[in-house]
Amino acid sequence: MDFRFLRLATGLLVVIAVVLMTSRGWAHWYGLGPSQDEWGLKYDGEVDPANGDNLIVHFTIADQGRLKPIHSVFVMAFSNPDRTGTNLVKTSITMKPTEDGKLTGQVEVGKKFADRAVIRIFTLTVDGRSQMAGPTAGARYYDIPLKKFQKKAPLTTSSQSRSSIAPPPPSNVAK
C-alpha cells in the first residue's frame, strides 16, 4: 500500500515540477504603441548590400530615451506584413558601446526579408519603471521598420553618353 502512495506522490511531484518550470519559460511581450517622440529614442541605421542575397544592417542608438536600459535588439521578419504570424527571421544585433557613449551593432539578413523586416528593441523598463510586475508583466518592444533605413536604388544608366551612340543605319527601302 505504501508503494502505491509513493508512486502517486512521485508522479505528482514530477507533474508539478514540469508545470512550474515551463511557466517560467513562457515569455510575454507587449508592443509599445506609437509615440510622438518615438519614446525618446535617438537612433540611426543604414542598410548596405552584402555578398550574395544578403544585406548588412548597421544600427546605432545614441540615446536610449524612455526605454533605458535597453535589454536587447533584434532584426525580425514575420510571415504576415502586419507583424504577426511566424518568425521568418529573428537575428540578434549585438550592441557594443562606443567611446562617445552610443550603442552600435550590425547583422546580416537576407534581401528577401527586407520589405517586412523590423528592428525590434526590447526593454524591461519604461519611464524608469519595471514592467515585470502586475497582470501585464513582461518585456516591452518598439518596432522600427527596416525600410526606413534602405537607400533608394540608383537608377541604372548607360555607360555611354547619348551623343556617342551611333545613329541607326539608313534604310534601303524605296518610297
Side-chain angles (χ1 to χ4, degrees), residues 62-92:
D63 184 0
Q64 298 178 36
R66 297 168 44 198
L67 305 182
K68 186 177 184 174
I70 288 177
H71 182 269
S72 55
V73 180
F74 286 84
V75 173
M76 300 178 83
F78 300 95
S79 58
N80 296 332
D82 62 353
R83 297 185 195 121
T84 61
T86 58
N87 284 344
L88 299 174
V89 173
K90 183 179 180 184
T91 306
S92 175

Side-chain angles (χ1 to χ4, degrees), residues 5 15 27 36 38 42 47 52 68 77-78 83 104 108 120 136-137 139 147 150 154 156 163 167 171-172 174:
F5 180 71
V15 169
Q36 278 186 318
E38 295 193 75
K42 304 264 188 284
V47 178
K68 186 177 184 174
F78 300 95
R83 297 185 195 121
T104 189
E108 200 168 307
R120 183 167 277 188
T136 59
K147 290 180 190 179
Q150 290 178 323
T156 57
S163 62
S171 174
N172 290 341

Side-chain angles (χ1 to χ4, degrees), residues 56-142:
I56 297 176
V57 178
H58 304 273
F59 188 64
T60 302
I61 299 174
D63 184 0
Q64 298 178 36
R66 297 168 44 198
L67 305 182
K68 186 177 184 174
I70 288 177
H71 182 269
S72 55
V73 180
F74 286 84
V75 173
M76 300 178 83
F78 300 95
S79 58
N80 296 332
D82 62 353
R83 297 185 195 121
T84 61
T86 58
N87 284 344
L88 299 174
V89 173
K90 183 179 180 184
T91 306
S92 175
I93 302 177
T94 303
M95 303 298 285
K96 297 181 181 175
T98 61
E99 291 178 8
D100 56 354
K102 298 177 182 179
L103 295 173
T104 189
Q106 70 181 30
V107 70
E108 200 168 307
V109 296
K111 285 181 186 177
K112 64 183 177 181
F113 303 114
D115 287 341
R116 57 181 61 199
V118 295
I119 295 176
R120 183 167 277 188
I121 300 171
F122 286 95
T123 186
L124 303 177
T125 59
V126 176
D127 293 329
R129 287 181 293 213
S130 173
Q131 302 298 306
M132 301 310 292
T136 59
R140 302 300 191 258
Y141 65 85
Y142 182 67

Side-chain angles (χ1 to χ4, degrees), residues 20-33:
L20 289 176
M21 285 189 302
T22 57
S23 70
R24 299 286 291 161
W26 291 332
H28 296 283
W29 304 308
Y30 299 97
L32 292 169

